[in-house]
Amino acid sequence: DEVLHVDLLLKQACLLVLLLRNNEALAVLDQVIEKSPYNADAHLIKAQIYAEQEQMEPLRQVLARYLELRPNEYEIRLVYAQVLFEQQDFEAAIEQYEWLLKQNYDFYRKYLRAPHASENPVIDIIQRKIRDVIMSAPEPEDYEALLDKVAKEFSDSKNS
């Protein structure tokens, strides 16, 4: 069924990201989004890839779409504001920061003072969100073998 296919594709994409096969992961994520356009996790994983590759315009677009799907994700909105700021779209960045301040001032204030803040908080936040998605699955010892297993399950489910 379609839900199972999307779930298997999403798992495959996560494994590809873990294996640093980002271009393949992006292609699989495009399939997920084509089959399930409201799948916020697929957009978030794409954001992770674009952030690591420092591709700011695609990152901006995928974060905007993610926030359309999950508008109250404060950490991701903060990431989006920082991306807008880095692209020198100051008006749009200010709008996002103002939204954060109005909606959740305490979160924003605590985040800015957090000891975990690194040189690239964009990647930190997205990685933390993706870890939450991935943590539901057991940690395999051999990602390649698990990727093959997921691909086989996908193929088997597609043929049935």
Side-chain angles (χ1 to χ4, degrees):
D1 90 340
E2 195 69 23
V3 174
L4 177 61
H5 289 155
V6 168
D7 185 51
L8 290 171
L9 285 170
L10 193 59
K11 288 177 182 175
Q12 180 182 15
C14 288
L15 290 167
L16 288 166
V17 169
L18 291 170
L19 293 167
L20 304 176
R21 292 164 52 184
N22 290 335
N23 291 336
E24 292 173 71
L26 286 170
V28 172
L29 291 166
D30 287 340
Q31 291 177 48
V32 171
I33 292 168
E34 183 180 319
K35 291 177 181 292
S36 180
Y38 300 105
N39 189 311
D41 292 335
H43 290 82
L44 188 62
I45 296 166
K46 283 183 82 166
Q48 164 73 25
I49 293 168
Y50 292 138
E52 286 180 358
Q53 294 176 344
E54 297 181 7
Q55 293 186 41
M56 299 312 274
E57 187 54 36
L59 176 60
R60 176 183 180 156
Q61 292 171 10
V62 77
L63 289 175
R65 177 64 179 140
Y66 180 85
L67 288 169
E68 287 174 13
L69 300 172
R70 294 195 181 154
N72 294 325
E73 287 282 343
Y74 302 114
E75 287 185 309
I76 299 303
R77 190 167 298 276
L78 178 58
V79 169
Y80 183 54
Q82 291 171 328
V83 168
L84 293 169
F85 186 82
E86 286 181 31
Q87 288 190 309
Q88 298 182 353
D89 188 347
F90 301 120
E91 276 187 41
I94 287 170
E95 285 177 24
Q96 298 303 314
Y97 287 125
E98 285 177 344
W99 187 93
L100 282 164
L101 289 171
K102 288 178 188 173
Q103 299 296 318
N104 198 352
Y105 175 76
D106 287 336
F107 163 78
Y108 183 68
R109 184 171 43 86
K110 286 177 189 171
Y111 179 78
L112 290 179
R113 295 184 184 162
H116 68 279
S118 74
E119 289 182 31
N120 194 339
V122 173
I123 291 177
D124 285 351
I125 291 170
I126 294 172
Q127 281 180 339
R128 204 164 47 253
K129 288 285 185 184
I130 289 174
R131 271 197 300 274
D132 292 344
V133 171
I134 293 174
M135 290 307 283
S136 61
E139 183 72 21
E141 294 201 12
D142 184 354
Y143 288 111
E144 288 285 352
L146 186 56
L147 181 60
D148 291 341
K149 180 181 174 190
V150 168
K152 183 183 180 328
E153 287 176 17
F154 178 74
S155 177
D156 291 347
S157 68
K158 203 172 184 182
N159 292 331
S160 58

